[in-house]
Amino acid sequence: MTIPTDAPCDFSQLVRVERARLLDMLRSLSAEDWHRATPCPGWDVLGLVNHLIGDDLSVIAWQRDHHHGTPAPEAADETQFIHWLDNLQMEWVDAARRISPRLAVELLDWLGNPVADTFAAQDPGLWTAHVSWASDSPVPVWLDQARELTERWIHRQQLHEAVGRPTDLD
């Protein structure tokens, strides 16, 4: 498989659009909606939203600030990496239980611009990113940005499903 160097689009702008749609949906939720189960095992709506907050903080810390406070274990195979990542995500979501729905929305609103700005400041054609399912070797930065955007879009669709709304395929 040949991965193109040129980005197919400006992912920083798509992150801004995705965040706006997520915030619109979250601001319309009832108090009961925040406790509904999601397709992510063990996470209710608030838990999944807190997971997104953790993802945003990770992008900013890792990609903008070059702070790797939770590096993956060295020489981990795919199974070990997945186990490490699952545990890391669960630790964050468990710790974030103290975040209220209102605060979660405020944090996502605040974090949206720094995430998009981080993407905008990167050279999408540099082959310095790591996307395990795409290659064992570095890949263009834009592919990592696409992965991050895709994760956020998928989780928004899961939130729609959890609260009984049709998915937003745009």
Side-chain angles (χ1 to χ4, degrees):
M1 173 176 83
T2 303
I3 301 171
T5 298
D6 294 335
C9 61
D10 179 356
F11 287 101
S12 67
Q13 291 307 313
L14 290 176
V15 165
R16 292 179 203 285
V17 170
E18 176 58 33
R19 182 52 47 92
R21 289 182 178 173
L22 174 65
L23 291 169
D24 285 346
M25 192 264 292
L26 294 177
R27 288 180 177 128
S28 73
L29 296 181
S30 69
E32 295 79 32
D33 287 336
W34 288 94
H35 303 289
R36 296 189 193 283
T38 70
C40 300
W43 290 351
D44 61 8
V45 168
L46 182 57
L48 183 51
V49 169
N50 283 333
H51 165 70
L52 290 170
I53 292 168
D55 282 352
D56 282 358
L57 291 170
S58 291
V59 164
I60 295 165
W62 281 60
Q63 295 183 22
R64 186 192 72 184
D65 300 341
H66 308 289
H67 175 73
H68 301 262
T70 54
E74 290 186 33
D77 63 24
E78 185 176 359
T79 301
Q80 293 167 327
F81 176 79
I82 290 169
H83 180 72
W84 168 81
L85 185 59
D86 286 347
N87 285 339
L88 185 67
Q89 301 294 0
M90 287 307 301
E91 286 174 7
W92 169 259
V93 173
D94 285 348
R97 287 183 308 216
R98 293 178 269 177
I99 296 174
S100 67
R102 178 181 172 181
L103 180 56
V105 171
E106 291 171 350
L107 287 169
L108 283 174
D109 190 19
W110 181 81
L111 289 164
N113 283 329
V115 169
D117 292 346
T118 297
F119 283 10
Q122 295 172 329
D123 179 345
L126 283 180
W127 286 68
T128 57
H130 296 278
V131 178
S132 62
W133 54 261
S135 175
D136 292 333
S137 302
V139 297
V141 167
W142 73 260
L143 189 58
D144 187 47
Q145 293 176 348
R147 181 188 55 78
E148 291 287 348
L149 174 64
T150 301
E151 179 177 1
R152 284 155 179 78
W153 182 86
I154 288 170
H155 286 322
R156 185 166 57 86
Q157 303 316 305
Q158 292 168 330
L159 291 166
H160 275 266
E161 182 180 330
V163 298
R165 296 185 186 174
T167 58
D168 172 9
L169 300 179
D170 291 335

